[in-house]
Amino acid sequence: MISLTVTAVVFGVVFLAELPDKTALAGLVLGTRYRASYVFAGVAAAFALHVALAVAAGSVLTLLPQQLVHALTGVLFLGGAAMLLLKKDEDEAEVRKPENQSFWKVSGAGFMLILVAEFGDLTQIMTANLAARYDDPLSVGLGAVLALWAVAGIGIVGGKALMKKVPLRLITQIAALVMLALGVWSLWEAVTG
């Protein structure tokens, strides 16, 4: 059974954390050069693979004592908040151009770009933490993959307009604040539980 509450919380946290990420900017660059649907197909497949790996890793953490898991996820959330607050603004990465506009070339380029860029990324680590925290892999996986797909879609289709209206630094600060709150909450549960 899918928990809409868990799915919504995960969606919000991952969405805010991914917006200022380099992969959102890479999706924007690919989307301006190639057919958006081809780019999205490759990017979406790579994000789904990353979420599956993160949820599997987080599910293994649920085998540990609950207080230890809360303490570990609390520290990791606080570390993630610090990373967001301390990281420098990222420039649009140079993206290797596929030789033609075929579906397989374009979606393959999008898949490989995200596969490499997102491995061990903050949102993948956050997804593993959330899977450990909620012990609800399906809801966490659904929330995370929908958030990543939403950010990819925004980046590919309308990223330039969003970035002109909402400062990237503000989005990063909101994501860090949410992670800080989750970190403090998890540590509180570890101490009081």
Side-chain angles (χ1 to χ4, degrees):
M1 189 77 167
I2 294 175
S3 165
L4 292 179
T5 304
V6 171
T7 301
V9 167
V10 172
F11 179 91
V13 170
V14 172
F15 182 87
L16 286 172
E18 187 65 20
L19 267 180
D21 195 64
K22 63 189 173 295
T23 50
L25 296 174
L28 178 125
V29 171
L30 284 172
T32 60
R33 294 183 184 174
Y34 307 109
R35 183 177 284 177
S37 60
Y38 291 4
V39 173
F40 185 79
V43 168
F47 276 135
L49 177 60
H50 275 288
V51 167
L53 292 172
V55 167
S59 295
V60 169
L61 291 176
T62 62
L63 301 175
L64 298 172
Q66 202 62 21
Q67 281 185 299
L68 180 61
V69 171
H70 285 311
L72 181 62
T73 57
V75 168
L76 290 172
F77 275 129
L78 292 177
M83 285 175 56
L84 281 176
L85 290 172
L86 298 175
K87 81 175 186 175
K88 296 176 182 170
D89 292 335
E90 298 185 52
D91 296 329
E92 290 183 16
E94 277 298 311
V95 179
R96 184 176 166 270
K97 267 186 135 172
E99 291 149 18
N100 63 38
Q101 292 277 335
S102 77
F103 172 79
W104 294 110
K105 293 275 185 182
V106 174
S107 63
F111 180 84
M112 291 308 296
L113 177 72
I114 298 303
L115 188 69
V116 171
E118 281 292 302
F119 210 83
D121 192 60
L122 178 62
T123 51
Q124 190 178 32
I125 294 166
M126 284 175 48
T127 302
N129 288 342
L130 290 163
R133 171 158 185 51
Y134 290 112
D135 194 16
D136 187 351
L138 193 55
S139 299
V140 170
L142 181 61
V145 82
L146 290 176
L148 293 168
W149 287 355
V151 171
I154 289 169
I156 292 166
V157 176
K160 285 183 181 175
L162 176 69
M163 297 305 172
K164 287 179 184 175
K165 295 182 187 286
V166 181
L168 194 56
R169 188 73 189 143
L170 176 63
I171 294 167
T172 302
Q173 290 170 340
I174 292 170
L177 186 63
V178 169
M179 288 183 68
L180 180 65
L182 284 169
V184 168
W185 182 21
S186 293
L187 288 174
W188 175 258
E189 286 186 338
V191 171
T192 61

